[in-house]
Amino acid sequence: LLINPSAALDRPQPVPGSGFLTPSAYGADWGDAFIGLAGVTAGRTDNKWDGSASVGVGFGDAVDNVGVELSLGIISLDGFAEDGTVGFKLHKVFPRANNLAVAAGWSNAISWGAAENAEDTFYGVVTQRFDLQPGRENTLPLTASLGVGTGSFRSLGAIAADSNDPNVFGSLGLRVIPELSIVSGWTGSALGLGVSAAPFDFPLVVTAGVSDVTDNTRTGPRFNASLGYSFSF
């Protein structure tokens, strides 16, 4: 069959992030993979900035069955790969419920180096998208995630008591234009605010913001920035 040379071939449009500092219930399926780099400035208890890296791949199908996202994280670029984790997330999407998604994960199922000293991070999370302007060209999609987790999501009280009690976390992301989102996240002990952009015609997402904007933790506010690239195979 001949294709009209002027016909545009459809392909997924890169989209900015929909949350900040916390996981959502959406994840990678079979054929999806991603790589990310992140950096954070020094805080009150740190004397220098640091970075991290991650790679991940998906298995299964979250719509027809269940998706599984497997990820490898290098938690510090100071002494590359000396400290890291391997984690996974099981996720499910319900198209008939306006693509409501649910997920359960274990962020540090395998750990080495300094990561071995961290508490286990188990979590469950629900994510839903709402169109604030349905029927318009720009529907103003708002993505909300709410979850419960241990480890990274503990309250300040649990951290002080050296316990691993579960706690509530969540995020909100408002996509104000197709290429830009305003994002926020509550980690269980700190509030973060930022912006996320997908300005190019390929799936590179840039996110930047400040964690602990209310100066609630020992480290205080810190600037966070990340680059994420996803691809299909």
Side-chain angles (χ1 to χ4, degrees), residues 170-190:
S171 66
L172 288 173
L174 178 64
R175 191 176 173 193
V176 292
I177 59 174
E179 301 83 11
L180 182 71
S181 292
I182 300 172
V183 291
S184 64
W186 170 254
T187 65
S189 60

Side-chain angles (χ1 to χ4, degrees), residues 14-181:
V15 296
S18 58
F20 188 49
L21 303 176
T22 62
S24 79
Y26 298 123
D29 285 338
W30 174 249
D32 299 330
F34 60 87
I35 183 170
L37 291 172
V40 59
T41 59
R44 276 196 298 267
T45 58
D46 303 295
N47 56 15
K48 61 181 179 179
W49 74 276
D50 201 358
S52 60
S54 64
V55 294
V57 65
F59 301 91
D61 189 316
V63 174
D64 293 336
N65 297 290
V66 176
V68 180
E69 180 181 292
L70 183 67
S71 60
L72 167 67
I74 304 301
I75 65 173
S76 176
L77 298 184
D78 183 11
F80 182 74
E82 292 180 358
D83 315 294
T85 63
V86 175
F88 65 89
K89 175 168 66 175
L90 305 177
H91 54 100
K92 174 67 177 174
V93 176
F94 300 91
R96 294 184 179 180
N98 195 28
N99 289 323
L100 173 74
V102 297
W106 186 3
S107 296
N108 52 348
I110 300 174
S111 59
W112 66 92
E116 292 183 328
N117 299 323
E119 298 283 356
D120 281 326
T121 298
F122 300 99
Y123 66 88
V125 61
V126 178
T127 300
Q128 179 70 78
R129 166 180 158 157
F130 306 91
D131 289 333
L132 302 185
Q133 294 184 155
R136 298 189 182 183
E137 183 177 356
N138 181 3
T139 63
L140 275 183
L142 174 70
T143 302
S145 295
L146 183 64
V148 175
T150 62
S152 300
F153 311 115
R154 292 179 296 164
S155 67
L156 290 177
I159 295 172
D162 196 25
S163 68
N164 200 19
D165 295 336
N167 191 38
V168 175
F169 67 87
S171 66
L172 288 173
L174 178 64
R175 191 176 173 193
V176 292
I177 59 174
E179 301 83 11
L180 182 71
S181 292

